Amino acid sequence: SCHTRRSSDLRPQRLRATAPPEMPPMVFGSPVRPACEAGAAPAFLGRNRVPELQRLFQIPDGLPVHLKRGVADRLLYRTTMAMTVGGVLYCLVALYLAAQPRRGK
């Protein structure tokens, strides 16, 4: 047999439906607007360098991409590698010292 539901079956503990509460007062002075209503984003005023960088990075000179822009890239790469090796050595020394038993006084 088919069971028909009453509207009272859908409300937990047969609670009465009430009107929604009033909106709380605003905390900030102005409401937040979605991005689509906020207006157009400001135009980028700089020069588009993508085509010249594409040409630079596609030159078949055997250099990896992260070193193509010259001395500054090489300096940054070497500094990063030196700091990485130094950090690994520091961690190994710290682990070695932490593994040693404490000397009792």
Side-chain angles (χ1 to χ4, degrees):
S1 81
C2 181
H3 176 68
T4 58
R5 290 192 170 179
R6 296 178 301 216
S7 63
S8 62
D9 291 340
L10 301 176
R11 290 192 299 264
Q13 297 141 357
R14 310 237 191 276
L15 296 176
R16 283 183 273 160
T18 60
E22 293 182 23
M23 292 294 293
M26 284 185 24
V27 177
F28 300 104
S30 63
V32 176
R33 294 184 296 173
C36 60
E37 295 177 9
F44 179 67
L45 301 176
R47 193 181 86 211
N48 185 7
R49 297 180 55 208
V50 171
E52 68 186 55
L53 290 174
Q54 282 177 337
R55 269 186 251 110
L56 173 70
F57 291 141
Q58 291 175 357
I59 295 173
D61 55 5
L63 284 175
V65 172
H66 60 274
L67 298 177
K68 289 255 187 185
R69 292 182 68 190
V71 176
D73 280 350
R74 277 181 277 171
L75 181 64
L76 181 63
Y77 175 75
R78 288 180 182 164
T79 303
T80 303
M81 286 298 111
M83 290 176 72
T84 302
V85 169
V88 167
L89 291 175
Y90 180 79
C91 287
L92 291 175
V93 169
L95 283 171
Y96 175 77
L97 292 176
Q100 300 304 311
R102 287 218 165 165
R103 295 183 182 144
K105 286 189 175 186

